[in-house]
Amino acid sequence: MLLIDCPYCGPRSEIEFRCGGESHVQRPGPHDAASDEQWADYLFYRHNPKGEHRERWLHMAGCGQWFNVARDTVTHKITAIYRMGETIDAGAGS
Ligand SMILES: [Zn+2]
């Protein structure tokens, strides 16, 4: 069981959260200039690394806020938690 340090509420059990998948996915644009391949990549393909992965998490049983987590997919160790709009350097250790 993970202990996730919500940047708004503090440490809480994993069962209060929902993972929203990969974070920092950039929408191609402008929309009329993006190719079908770029749209398919944006809509359907996500990275699945062995190691550090940046993810969006929702504190659904708490504050209801989305935030970012840098988590190792092998060990599940969380190395950084940061709010939406922050960079990993600004939010590391928070
Ligand atoms: Zn929270």
Side-chain angles (χ1 to χ4, degrees):
M1 176 87 47
L2 292 174
L3 184 64
I4 299 173
D5 190 7
C6 174
Y8 304 95
C9 305
R12 299 287 193 277
S13 174
E14 175 187 358
I15 61 172
E16 294 188 13
F17 297 86
R18 173 171 292 165
C19 183
E22 184 178 351
S23 63
H24 309 294
V25 177
Q26 296 295 315
R27 182 184 178 119
H31 71 279
D32 56 351
S35 68
D36 290 345
E37 183 179 347
Q38 289 174 310
W39 276 111
D41 186 56
Y42 168 69
L43 294 172
F44 303 112
Y45 295 102
R46 296 293 178 260
H47 294 104
N48 187 19
K50 182 177 182 181
E52 185 185 275
H53 191 234
R54 310 269 173 91
E55 303 165 332
R56 298 178 305 160
W57 283 76
L58 170 66
H59 194 182
M60 64 180 194
C63 62
Q65 295 289 317
W66 286 95
F67 56 92
N68 296 302
V69 172
R71 181 181 64 87
D72 189 300
T73 58
V74 177
T75 64
H76 299 291
K77 181 179 179 185
I78 295 173
T79 55
I81 296 176
Y82 51 105
R83 297 177 183 199
M84 292 295 181
E86 291 181 342
T87 63
I88 196 166
D89 296 327
S94 62

